[in-house]
Every structure is written in C-alpha cells, then in structure tokens.
Amino acid sequence: MSIELIPARFAHRISGYPADGYASGEDWLAELPTLLGDLLREWELEPIGPTMTGACSVALPVRLLGAGRDAAGVSGEGVLKISWPHPEAATESLALQTWNGHGAVRLLRADPSRFAMLLERLHARDLMGVDVDEACGVIGDLLGVLRRPPHPRVPRLVDYAERQARELHDAPPVLPRRYLDQASALARELVARPPAEDRLLHTDLHYENVLGAYRSPWLAIDPKPMAGDPAFEVAPALWNRADELGSGSQVRWSLRRRLEIICERAGVDEGRARAWTIVREADNAVDAAESAQSAGDDASREWAHDRISLAVTIIKAMND
C-alpha cells in the first residue's frame, strides 16, 4: 500500500488527536496503510481517484471488482471510507443502515470494528454554492425524509442534554454568565418536556454534508447519530456559512430566516429549535475555549475568540 493514499496534511492534523476511547490519531495513522490495503483486497476494490479527507476520516474512490458490484449501480463505483476511531463515528453505519439510502448516502458494506464503510459514490457538489434560502429548504426536506425510528444502539440525546445541563452550569465564563445559565436551564427543560416521539437524528446536517447524487438531487452524508428530538437538528445550518449572515440588524434576520425555512419544511417546532440552538452554541463556545487553551498558540486563540463571538451572536438572535 502506497503512503500517497494518505494525504500529508491529513496525516499531520490527525497525528495530534489524543485517544478518545480507542486509538490515538498517531497510533491509528501508523496502522492506516495496512488497513487500507487489507480492505481493498478483502472487499475486492480498486482505487480510481485521489483520497478525499474529512476532519477524522479518509474517503477513497474505488471500483468494485467482485460479486457486490451490482450494489453500486451502473457505474460499479463506490467510496471506501475509514474513520479515526472515536465515539461519534462508532454508530455512523447503524444510521446509514437504518435509512437504507432514503435521504442519505447508501451503505453498501461495513466493518464497524475497523470503522470502515463502503458507500455509494456521490457527486462532488454540495450546498455551499446554492442560494442559502434554497439550501435551507433542501436541508429541511432531507430532515423530513430522514425522520425514522432510532436504532436502539445510537446515543440518546437526553443523555447529552443532561450532561450539558451540568457542564454548562459549572463552565467558566467563556460566555456571559446569563447565557451559560440559560443554556443549562434549557437543557433541563427540554429533557423534562420531551417531544411526542424520539427519532433518528443526523445532528450535523449542514451545507457541506449534503451532496448531489446520481439517483437523487441531494443526499445527506457524515451523520453523527443520536436518538431524540428533531428540533435539535436545525442549529448546524445556522452556524455554518456564517460569513453570509450580513451585518448589524441583518444578522438576526438572516439567522431567523434560516431557522424558519428549515422548521417549516421539516415540520419542526421553532421554539424548541431555538432552545436547542442556544444549548448547542453554548456547548460550542465552551469547547472552543477548551481547545484553544489546550493548543496554546495564537492562531487557536484567535479562532476560539471568533467562534465564541459567533456563539454569542446566534444566542442573541435566538432570544430576541
């Protein structure tokens, strides 16, 4: 296996990841060439393009050569995705299996023990270049299609909320104290007043996690699955493409416009979506501050400052 299948920038970034329940980034990276070679051989795959990377995974375009070729459609092509082992990636294949290609990329084969999946091949285009109102409509429609009963083995949103209620209450004042206290109280309230039914949640459906497809205009990729309240799903479409929010009073209008479109198309309660967004943005701000403190460099501190400022902006807009 040639090391060129692992882009150098990806290798440099992930080598610094500490272990999160599994192998560290450095240890996993040392095994990745062998893992790639084993999967290509065992699953009878031929690389046909350069490796793509995400924050924690590599995705290699492949041609299926064996008996499973028909599952990939007319092209006989797919994508071999291997993720650095961490809790958020542990149940991705279960969610894709549950959706079975309805609104999401189709799972052709999986080996959860090796955090490996063979996926149908999609187009490279995403929603980043689509008018934001139209893109929010696409996201809202997909959230409606993806609304399925949850797989019993995915994490529960209620556990996240209970944890955040405690952690945000005790967090240092990286945000104005009133916002941290509000987020903590909302997390408790949302657990105390649950929706009528839990659903399988993507939890990270933003503009780059929606790709064009051969069999459908748009499909979701890269879920971080949970089971719980569909109103939790809206927030990523608010904090992404933040440079397009405008300035001054236009920012609030833009954020509420996105929220309104998604909630209407997905059939989600706007009040609960605003409340979950406040919780998630407070969590994002605390995470940003902790990451910058751990990194200890000027670039990380500058990024954290900007991310916390965005969190304050979004929380204000959800409150007004």
PDB file of all heavy atoms in Angstrom, residues 3 32-33 35 40 58 81 85 98 116 128 173 180 200 214 227 250 276 286 301 303:
ATOM      1  N   ILE A   3       1.872   5.023   0.669  1.00  0.00           N
ATOM      2  CA  ILE A   3       1.530   6.048   1.656  1.00  0.00           C
ATOM      3  C   ILE A   3       0.891   7.251   0.999  1.00  0.00           C
ATOM      4  O   ILE A   3       0.243   8.063   1.660  1.00  0.00           O
ATOM      5  CB  ILE A   3       2.787   6.450   2.456  1.00  0.00           C
ATOM      6  CG1 ILE A   3       2.421   7.243   3.713  1.00  0.00           C
ATOM      7  CG2 ILE A   3       3.748   7.237   1.580  1.00  0.00           C
ATOM      8  CD1 ILE A   3       1.641   6.466   4.725  1.00  0.00           C
ATOM      9  N   LEU A  32      -2.975   2.727   9.418  1.00  0.00           N
ATOM     10  CA  LEU A  32      -3.889   3.021   8.317  1.00  0.00           C
ATOM     11  C   LEU A  32      -3.439   2.453   6.962  1.00  0.00           C
ATOM     12  O   LEU A  32      -4.276   1.908   6.224  1.00  0.00           O
ATOM     13  CB  LEU A  32      -4.132   4.534   8.221  1.00  0.00           C
ATOM     14  CG  LEU A  32      -5.140   5.004   7.178  1.00  0.00           C
ATOM     15  CD1 LEU A  32      -6.486   4.313   7.352  1.00  0.00           C
ATOM     16  CD2 LEU A  32      -5.308   6.519   7.247  1.00  0.00           C
ATOM     17  N   PRO A  33      -2.183   2.544   6.570  1.00  0.00           N
ATOM     18  CA  PRO A  33      -1.804   1.947   5.273  1.00  0.00           C
ATOM     19  C   PRO A  33      -2.127   0.462   5.190  1.00  0.00           C
ATOM     20  O   PRO A  33      -2.641  -0.019   4.172  1.00  0.00           O
ATOM     21  CB  PRO A  33      -0.297   2.209   5.197  1.00  0.00           C
ATOM     22  CG  PRO A  33      -0.064   3.400   6.071  1.00  0.00           C
ATOM     23  CD  PRO A  33      -1.044   3.247   7.197  1.00  0.00           C
ATOM     24  N   LEU A  35      -4.399  -1.117   6.978  1.00  0.00           N
ATOM     25  CA  LEU A  35      -5.854  -1.238   6.998  1.00  0.00           C
ATOM     26  C   LEU A  35      -6.456  -0.975   5.616  1.00  0.00           C
ATOM     27  O   LEU A  35      -7.334  -1.719   5.150  1.00  0.00           O
ATOM     28  CB  LEU A  35      -6.425  -0.265   8.028  1.00  0.00           C
ATOM     29  CG  LEU A  35      -7.946  -0.234   8.202  1.00  0.00           C
ATOM     30  CD1 LEU A  35      -8.491  -1.617   8.527  1.00  0.00           C
ATOM     31  CD2 LEU A  35      -8.319   0.776   9.279  1.00  0.00           C
ATOM     32  N   LEU A  40      -9.064  -3.078   0.732  1.00  0.00           N
ATOM     33  CA  LEU A  40      -9.082  -3.119  -0.735  1.00  0.00           C
ATOM     34  C   LEU A  40      -9.007  -4.558  -1.238  1.00  0.00           C
ATOM     35  O   LEU A  40      -9.725  -4.942  -2.180  1.00  0.00           O
ATOM     36  CB  LEU A  40      -7.935  -2.294  -1.305  1.00  0.00           C
ATOM     37  CG  LEU A  40      -8.048  -0.766  -1.170  1.00  0.00           C
ATOM     38  CD1 LEU A  40      -6.740  -0.100  -1.564  1.00  0.00           C
ATOM     39  CD2 LEU A  40      -9.198  -0.217  -2.000  1.00  0.00           C
ATOM     40  N   VAL A  58     -10.700   9.254   6.002  1.00  0.00           N
ATOM     41  CA  VAL A  58     -10.274   9.267   4.614  1.00  0.00           C
ATOM     42  C   VAL A  58     -11.370   8.605   3.788  1.00  0.00           C
ATOM     43  O   VAL A  58     -12.069   7.697   4.249  1.00  0.00           O
ATOM     44  CB  VAL A  58      -8.935   8.525   4.412  1.00  0.00           C
ATOM     45  CG1 VAL A  58      -7.806   9.275   5.087  1.00  0.00           C
ATOM     46  CG2 VAL A  58      -9.000   7.094   4.913  1.00  0.00           C
ATOM     47  N   LYS A  81     -14.638   4.495   2.938  1.00  0.00           N
ATOM     48  CA  LYS A  81     -14.441   5.480   3.998  1.00  0.00           C
ATOM     49  C   LYS A  81     -13.950   4.775   5.256  1.00  0.00           C
ATOM     50  O   LYS A  81     -14.561   3.810   5.716  1.00  0.00           O
ATOM     51  CB  LYS A  81     -15.743   6.225   4.306  1.00  0.00           C
ATOM     52  CG  LYS A  81     -15.609   7.245   5.426  1.00  0.00           C
ATOM     53  CD  LYS A  81     -16.910   7.984   5.685  1.00  0.00           C
ATOM     54  CE  LYS A  81     -16.758   8.983   6.835  1.00  0.00           C
ATOM     55  NZ  LYS A  81     -18.009   9.720   7.117  1.00  0.00           N
ATOM     56  N   PRO A  85     -11.006   6.050  14.886  1.00  0.00           N
ATOM     57  CA  PRO A  85     -11.978   5.541  15.869  1.00  0.00           C
ATOM     58  C   PRO A  85     -12.240   6.529  17.010  1.00  0.00           C
ATOM     59  O   PRO A  85     -11.316   6.902  17.743  1.00  0.00           O
ATOM     60  CB  PRO A  85     -11.311   4.265  16.404  1.00  0.00           C
ATOM     61  CG  PRO A  85     -10.338   3.865  15.347  1.00  0.00           C
ATOM     62  CD  PRO A  85      -9.830   5.159  14.786  1.00  0.00           C
ATOM     63  N   THR A  98     -30.060   2.100   8.794  1.00  0.00           N
ATOM     64  CA  THR A  98     -31.462   2.367   9.101  1.00  0.00           C
ATOM     65  C   THR A  98     -32.131   3.166   7.990  1.00  0.00           C
ATOM     66  O   THR A  98     -33.261   2.874   7.580  1.00  0.00           O
ATOM     67  CB  THR A  98     -31.574   3.132  10.433  1.00  0.00           C
ATOM     68  OG1 THR A  98     -31.000   2.343  11.481  1.00  0.00           O
ATOM     69  CG2 THR A  98     -33.036   3.427  10.782  1.00  0.00           C
ATOM     70  N   ALA A 116     -14.885   1.090   9.160  1.00  0.00           N
ATOM     71  CA  ALA A 116     -14.786   1.130   7.700  1.00  0.00           C
ATOM     72  C   ALA A 116     -16.162   0.934   7.073  1.00  0.00           C
ATOM     73  O   ALA A 116     -16.961   0.109   7.539  1.00  0.00           O
ATOM     74  CB  ALA A 116     -13.832   0.053   7.204  1.00  0.00           C
ATOM     75  N   MET A 128     -22.850  24.430  -0.672  1.00  0.00           N
ATOM     76  CA  MET A 128     -22.145  25.677  -0.369  1.00  0.00           C
ATOM     77  C   MET A 128     -22.361  26.733  -1.449  1.00  0.00           C
ATOM     78  O   MET A 128     -22.373  27.922  -1.153  1.00  0.00           O
ATOM     79  CB  MET A 128     -20.654  25.403  -0.186  1.00  0.00           C
ATOM     80  CG  MET A 128     -20.318  24.658   1.094  1.00  0.00           C
ATOM     81  SD  MET A 128     -20.734  25.583   2.589  1.00  0.00           S
ATOM     82  CE  MET A 128     -19.490  26.873   2.543  1.00  0.00           C
ATOM     83  N   PRO A 173     -16.691  31.349  32.671  1.00  0.00           N
ATOM     84  CA  PRO A 173     -17.464  32.350  31.928  1.00  0.00           C
ATOM     85  C   PRO A 173     -16.867  32.680  30.558  1.00  0.00           C
ATOM     86  O   PRO A 173     -16.482  33.832  30.297  1.00  0.00           O
ATOM     87  CB  PRO A 173     -17.453  33.560  32.864  1.00  0.00           C
ATOM     88  CG  PRO A 173     -16.172  33.417  33.630  1.00  0.00           C
ATOM     89  CD  PRO A 173     -15.979  31.946  33.825  1.00  0.00           C
ATOM     90  N   LEU A 180     -24.806  31.054  29.733  1.00  0.00           N
ATOM     91  CA  LEU A 180     -24.476  29.709  30.197  1.00  0.00           C
ATOM     92  C   LEU A 180     -25.573  29.170  31.112  1.00  0.00           C
ATOM     93  O   LEU A 180     -25.985  28.005  31.005  1.00  0.00           O
ATOM     94  CB  LEU A 180     -23.139  29.714  30.931  1.00  0.00           C
ATOM     95  CG  LEU A 180     -21.899  29.976  30.065  1.00  0.00           C
ATOM     96  CD1 LEU A 180     -20.676  30.222  30.944  1.00  0.00           C
ATOM     97  CD2 LEU A 180     -21.644  28.813  29.113  1.00  0.00           C
ATOM     98  N   LEU A 200     -34.473   9.142  14.803  1.00  0.00           N
ATOM     99  CA  LEU A 200     -33.058   9.026  14.470  1.00  0.00           C
ATOM    100  C   LEU A 200     -32.583  10.373  13.938  1.00  0.00           C
ATOM    101  O   LEU A 200     -33.136  10.883  12.957  1.00  0.00           O
ATOM    102  CB  LEU A 200     -32.846   7.931  13.423  1.00  0.00           C
ATOM    103  CG  LEU A 200     -31.409   7.738  12.919  1.00  0.00           C
ATOM    104  CD1 LEU A 200     -30.467   7.389  14.060  1.00  0.00           C
ATOM    105  CD2 LEU A 200     -31.376   6.653  11.849  1.00  0.00           C
ATOM    106  N   TYR A 214     -26.436  10.569  -8.132  1.00  0.00           N
ATOM    107  CA  TYR A 214     -26.921  10.065  -9.414  1.00  0.00           C
ATOM    108  C   TYR A 214     -28.417   9.743  -9.350  1.00  0.00           C
ATOM    109  O   TYR A 214     -29.139   9.927 -10.317  1.00  0.00           O
ATOM    110  CB  TYR A 214     -26.140   8.803  -9.814  1.00  0.00           C
ATOM    111  CG  TYR A 214     -24.671   9.058 -10.064  1.00  0.00           C
ATOM    112  CD1 TYR A 214     -23.731   8.860  -9.054  1.00  0.00           C
ATOM    113  CD2 TYR A 214     -24.215   9.518 -11.297  1.00  0.00           C
ATOM    114  CE1 TYR A 214     -22.381   9.097  -9.268  1.00  0.00           C
ATOM    115  CE2 TYR A 214     -22.874   9.756 -11.525  1.00  0.00           C
ATOM    116  CZ  TYR A 214     -21.956   9.542 -10.506  1.00  0.00           C
ATOM    117  OH  TYR A 214     -20.627   9.789 -10.727  1.00  0.00           O
ATOM    118  N   ALA A 227     -30.486   9.622  19.080  1.00  0.00           N
ATOM    119  CA  ALA A 227     -31.928   9.372  19.122  1.00  0.00           C
ATOM    120  C   ALA A 227     -32.562  10.446  19.981  1.00  0.00           C
ATOM    121  O   ALA A 227     -32.154  10.653  21.129  1.00  0.00           O
ATOM    122  CB  ALA A 227     -32.206   7.988  19.724  1.00  0.00           C
ATOM    123  N   GLN A 250     -29.231  42.907  10.213  1.00  0.00           N
ATOM    124  CA  GLN A 250     -29.451  41.886   9.191  1.00  0.00           C
ATOM    125  C   GLN A 250     -29.077  40.497   9.701  1.00  0.00           C
ATOM    126  O   GLN A 250     -29.629  39.488   9.257  1.00  0.00           O
ATOM    127  CB  GLN A 250     -28.643  42.215   7.943  1.00  0.00           C
ATOM    128  CG  GLN A 250     -28.920  41.277   6.764  1.00  0.00           C
ATOM    129  CD  GLN A 250     -28.085  41.631   5.549  1.00  0.00           C
ATOM    130  OE1 GLN A 250     -27.160  42.436   5.628  1.00  0.00           O
ATOM    131  NE2 GLN A 250     -28.410  41.022   4.423  1.00  0.00           N
ATOM    132  N   TRP A 276     -32.819  24.503  21.530  1.00  0.00           N
ATOM    133  CA  TRP A 276     -31.703  23.575  21.309  1.00  0.00           C
ATOM    134  C   TRP A 276     -30.499  24.302  20.722  1.00  0.00           C
ATOM    135  O   TRP A 276     -29.345  23.977  21.029  1.00  0.00           O
ATOM    136  CB  TRP A 276     -32.120  22.444  20.374  1.00  0.00           C
ATOM    137  CG  TRP A 276     -32.834  21.316  21.033  1.00  0.00           C
ATOM    138  CD1 TRP A 276     -34.075  20.843  20.743  1.00  0.00           C
ATOM    139  CD2 TRP A 276     -32.323  20.464  22.074  1.00  0.00           C
ATOM    140  NE1 TRP A 276     -34.388  19.761  21.541  1.00  0.00           N
ATOM    141  CE2 TRP A 276     -33.325  19.509  22.367  1.00  0.00           C
ATOM    142  CE3 TRP A 276     -31.128  20.418  22.787  1.00  0.00           C
ATOM    143  CZ2 TRP A 276     -33.160  18.522  23.344  1.00  0.00           C
ATOM    144  CZ3 TRP A 276     -30.959  19.443  23.759  1.00  0.00           C
ATOM    145  CH2 TRP A 276     -31.968  18.515  24.026  1.00  0.00           C
ATOM    146  N   VAL A 286     -17.884  26.689  24.797  1.00  0.00           N
ATOM    147  CA  VAL A 286     -17.053  26.073  25.832  1.00  0.00           C
ATOM    148  C   VAL A 286     -16.003  25.168  25.195  1.00  0.00           C
ATOM    149  O   VAL A 286     -14.826  25.190  25.581  1.00  0.00           O
ATOM    150  CB  VAL A 286     -17.927  25.303  26.833  1.00  0.00           C
ATOM    151  CG1 VAL A 286     -17.057  24.499  27.803  1.00  0.00           C
ATOM    152  CG2 VAL A 286     -18.827  26.257  27.609  1.00  0.00           C
ATOM    153  N   ARG A 301      -6.137  30.589  19.638  1.00  0.00           N
ATOM    154  CA  ARG A 301      -6.837  31.572  20.478  1.00  0.00           C
ATOM    155  C   ARG A 301      -7.677  32.524  19.632  1.00  0.00           C
ATOM    156  O   ARG A 301      -8.795  32.894  20.011  1.00  0.00           O
ATOM    157  CB  ARG A 301      -5.821  32.348  21.332  1.00  0.00           C
ATOM    158  CG  ARG A 301      -5.298  31.544  22.520  1.00  0.00           C
ATOM    159  CD  ARG A 301      -4.509  32.420  23.469  1.00  0.00           C
ATOM    160  NE  ARG A 301      -3.204  32.727  22.923  1.00  0.00           N
ATOM    161  CZ  ARG A 301      -2.103  31.996  23.135  1.00  0.00           C
ATOM    162  NH1 ARG A 301      -2.181  30.922  23.895  1.00  0.00           N
ATOM    163  NH2 ARG A 301      -0.940  32.341  22.623  1.00  0.00           N
ATOM    164  N   TRP A 303      -8.950  31.823  16.638  1.00  0.00           N
ATOM    165  CA  TRP A 303     -10.102  31.059  16.152  1.00  0.00           C
ATOM    166  C   TRP A 303     -11.162  30.927  17.241  1.00  0.00           C
ATOM    167  O   TRP A 303     -12.365  31.102  16.984  1.00  0.00           O
ATOM    168  CB  TRP A 303      -9.659  29.660  15.701  1.00  0.00           C
ATOM    169  CG  TRP A 303     -10.821  28.776  15.403  1.00  0.00           C
ATOM    170  CD1 TRP A 303     -11.555  28.713  14.252  1.00  0.00           C
ATOM    171  CD2 TRP A 303     -11.438  27.849  16.303  1.00  0.00           C
ATOM    172  NE1 TRP A 303     -12.578  27.803  14.374  1.00  0.00           N
ATOM    173  CE2 TRP A 303     -12.533  27.260  15.619  1.00  0.00           C
ATOM    174  CE3 TRP A 303     -11.174  27.464  17.608  1.00  0.00           C
ATOM    175  CZ2 TRP A 303     -13.352  26.299  16.211  1.00  0.00           C
ATOM    176  CZ3 TRP A 303     -11.988  26.511  18.215  1.00  0.00           C
ATOM    177  CH2 TRP A 303     -13.057  25.941  17.530  1.00  0.00           C
TER     178      TRP A 303
END
